[in-house]
Amino acid sequence: LLLSQGGEFAFVLFGLAQNHGILPAPQVKLLLTVVVLTMFLTPFLNDLGADIASKIEKAKGGLMLPSTDDHDQGDYVLVCGFGRVGQAICELLTARLVRYKAFDMDPYRVARARDRGLPVFYGDARRPDVLQAFMHEANHKIVAVVVTLDSER
């Protein structure tokens, strides 16, 4: 789905083709419209593809996560740190079908996890105000807290 997009270079090529008489003006307008539409629709197609892939993975058993409706219901484990150790612990929890939510201070790691549909949030779990804001956001029921350290900092 992502390869279906036309690029900005198409504007240059179609303009040159029209100027040199290779393509007639109505055809260039049509082609430019198609390029603009594909560039506009690509982010939506990306999200659609990710949703379809997630459903396929869940259906074949490759990824066993609670549904999005169940994420905020019931008890869960709070994992502070989603580095190497935190990810290993979250994989064990997922294998046991135990709900969890994780915090990490690396925005790129959090973004990658969120792209995979994992309940990982950006924040410093060492700060009481971050945890208090998280607790007051909704009716959370934490049954355990796991603190993971990948380094000694």
Side-chain angles (χ1 to χ4, degrees), residues 51-65:
D51 290 342
I52 291 171
S54 176
K55 288 178 183 175
I56 290 171
E57 285 293 320
K58 285 182 183 178
K60 73 177 188 179
L63 185 64
M64 296 173 60
L65 293 174

Side-chain angles (χ1 to χ4, degrees), residues 13-68:
L13 285 179
F14 295 146
L16 287 173
Q18 182 180 1
N19 288 342
H20 292 307
I22 298 171
L23 292 174
Q27 190 173 14
V28 169
K29 286 182 182 179
L30 175 66
L31 292 171
L32 290 176
T33 302
V34 169
V35 169
V36 169
L37 284 175
T38 61
M39 290 174 69
F40 174 76
L41 292 175
T42 297
F44 302 109
L45 291 174
N46 181 35
D47 293 342
L48 177 66
D51 290 342
I52 291 171
S54 176
K55 288 178 183 175
I56 290 171
E57 285 293 320
K58 285 182 183 178
K60 73 177 188 179
L63 185 64
M64 296 173 60
L65 293 174
S67 68
T68 55

Side-chain angles (χ1 to χ4, degrees), residues 77 79 84-94 100 146-148:
V77 175
V79 179
R84 180 179 47 85
V85 175
Q87 289 177 27
I89 289 173
C90 290
E91 287 174 9
L92 290 171
L93 292 171
T94 300
Y100 70 88
V146 179
V147 178
T148 63

Side-chain angles (χ1 to χ4, degrees), residues 62-114:
L63 185 64
M64 296 173 60
L65 293 174
S67 68
T68 55
D69 298 335
D70 294 338
H71 274 299
D72 288 331
Q73 299 175 358
D75 300 339
Y76 66 91
V77 175
L78 179 63
V79 179
C80 301
F82 197 70
R84 180 179 47 85
V85 175
Q87 289 177 27
I89 289 173
C90 290
E91 287 174 9
L92 290 171
L93 292 171
T94 300
R96 297 283 184 185
L97 296 177
V98 175
R99 289 184 190 92
Y100 70 88
K101 293 185 183 183
F103 275 105
D104 200 87
M105 293 189 304
D106 182 350
Y108 298 108
R109 185 180 298 148
V110 171
R112 284 191 305 269
R114 301 286 295 184

